[in-house]
Amino acid sequence: MRAVPRGAVRGLATLACVALLSGCGVHPPVSAVIPSEQPAPSAGPPTTLPETISSPTVAPPTSGEPSAGASVAPGELRPPATPSVRGTPVYGSTLTISQGSWEPSPVVLGYQWLRDGEAIGGATARTYRLTGSDISHRIAVIVTGSRDGYANASRRSSQVGPITPAALKPATPTISGTVKVGHTLTGKVAAWGPGTVALSWQWYREAVPIEDATSATYTLAVADNGHTITVRVTGTRKNHQSARRDSRPTAKVAPGTLKPAPEPVVSGNARVGDQLAADAGDWGPGTVVLAYQWFRNTGKTDLAVPGATKSSPTATAAEVGARMRVRVTASRKGYSTVARFSAYSAPVVKGELTAPTPVISGPAILGNQLSVDAGPWGPGQVDLVLQWYRDGSPIVRANGATYLLTAQDVRHTLTVRVTGSRDGYTTRTVESAATPTIRSR
């Protein structure tokens, strides 16, 4: 009988075992696949289901079978190149890891997201939504592959970031209202997003912020006259970049309108020597400077009275027969100047002279000299004319302040009449009391 080599006998035995197992419906083991319901081996259990990468069925080895009782070293997984993180590094965005294809499949993958190299608690899914805690930090992810019979392998992605706050969706404000000093402007703006955004206001004169003008409305001040106005809206929200928008500038601010601006009222006697008075009324807003000018009208035309620029002038002779009225001009910085006329007064009449009774002094005896005191006439300078009378009849050429008694005056009485006149005033004559009867001695 021919001897069979020892190696051949071993091979025949192996084939016999394979045939026997096949005949019993049992197949040799292939690479184990970890069910998707179970987590992959790692330092800590992931919070999401692990991911399994499948490959074609691996054929059983045909040679190099280990001998019974020999230890088998774990296989080595072949991960892809460095995984990359996809997504926008902005608060609220979702990052996704692109892990590539791991071999030999199937391989269970686990994830751990990192913030500046430190593990983020609970961040073990393939995707990660950026939070406020990530702002200004860098994010990366470690991908760990595992399979029964193989040593775990990990790959760390490059970092993305630093993570920035999200952007707001601002709207541009508009301004409505009358662009005049004293009027109120109103700023309006559509709602900003996303969500609830806190808005603040600041009004500007040209490019200079206006102190304390930080509400949605602004009342135009004197300082705004001749300047343009804008309003700036600034929006803020947590974990978002603040944003601001400026309105278009207004037209140049026009002077304000004085209000109230009442019609003045004239009172007093329209008579030469008496005062007329103008009541200008209450002007506004604020402190208003008032100026006066009086006019006389003797027909169809108003003529300004020279020097009559007070609220209470005295009527003069030039105004006799004329009607008087006053113009009040109001002014205030930042406001348009306004003039208002009063109604006309009654025609001015002549004034009344003050006329005291003259007094004659001296002995009523032939040859003596009599004198007369006319007294203080007024107002102002009054022209006086004297005339002596004998028993009511004028004495020729006796019109001085003194009179020398003659024989013609004996047994008669004498009086003096004083006549006063002044332009614009009614002429007036007054007579003294009579002297005693003139005696010869």
Side-chain angles (χ1 to χ4, degrees), residues 92 95 130 192 245 257 302 335 337 413 429 439 441:
L95 301 182
L130 294 167
W192 288 31
R245 289 292 184 271
T257 300
D302 283 347
Y335 286 76
T337 298
T413 59
T429 300
R439 295 180 288 116
R441 280 292 174 182

Side-chain angles (χ1 to χ4, degrees), residues 304-320:
V305 179
T309 56
K310 303 295 182 181
S311 61
S312 299
T314 300
T316 66
E319 279 81 62
V320 172

Side-chain angles (χ1 to χ4, degrees), residues 198-226:
L199 301 180
S200 61
W201 300 78
Q202 176 61 62
W203 294 84
Y204 286 78
R205 180 185 304 120
E206 304 295 350
V208 180
I210 302 171
E211 186 176 359
D212 297 329
T214 54
S215 68
T217 59
Y218 173 63
T219 300
L220 294 167
V222 171
D224 300 320
N225 185 34

Side-chain angles (χ1 to χ4, degrees), residues 167-312:
L168 294 175
K169 297 178 180 179
T172 300
T174 59
I175 297 175
S176 62
T178 303
V179 190
K180 292 177 66 174
V181 172
H183 289 257
T184 297
L185 300 181
T186 300
K188 298 180 180 178
V189 68
W192 288 31
T196 301
V197 179
L199 301 180
S200 61
W201 300 78
Q202 176 61 62
W203 294 84
Y204 286 78
R205 180 185 304 120
E206 304 295 350
V208 180
I210 302 171
E211 186 176 359
D212 297 329
T214 54
S215 68
T217 59
Y218 173 63
T219 300
L220 294 167
V222 171
D224 300 320
N225 185 34
H227 299 283
T228 59
I229 302 295
T230 57
V231 67
R232 172 174 294 171
V233 177
T234 301
T236 56
R237 186 187 179 193
K238 186 178 180 181
N239 300 324
H240 288 69
Q241 294 177 336
S242 63
R244 66 187 187 188
R245 289 292 184 271
D246 291 349
S247 70
R248 296 183 61 183
T250 64
K252 288 187 176 181
V253 177
T257 300
L258 292 176
K259 186 178 181 180
E263 179 181 297
V265 176
V266 173
S267 61
N269 292 324
R271 183 171 59 189
V272 174
D274 289 349
Q275 283 187 322
L276 295 171
D279 181 0
D282 295 326
W283 290 69
T287 301
V288 179
V289 178
L290 302 178
Y292 300 85
Q293 177 61 62
W294 289 84
F295 293 82
R296 60 172 174 256
N297 186 299
T298 55
K300 297 180 179 180
T301 304
D302 283 347
L303 298 176
V305 179
T309 56
K310 303 295 182 181
S311 61
S312 299

Side-chain angles (χ1 to χ4, degrees), residues 323-343:
R323 296 181 301 160
M324 304 293 292
R325 70 170 176 168
V326 66
R327 180 186 67 200
V328 176
T329 302
S331 60
R332 183 187 175 190
K333 185 178 180 182
Y335 286 76
S336 298
T337 298
V338 177
R340 291 283 186 270
F341 280 89
S342 70

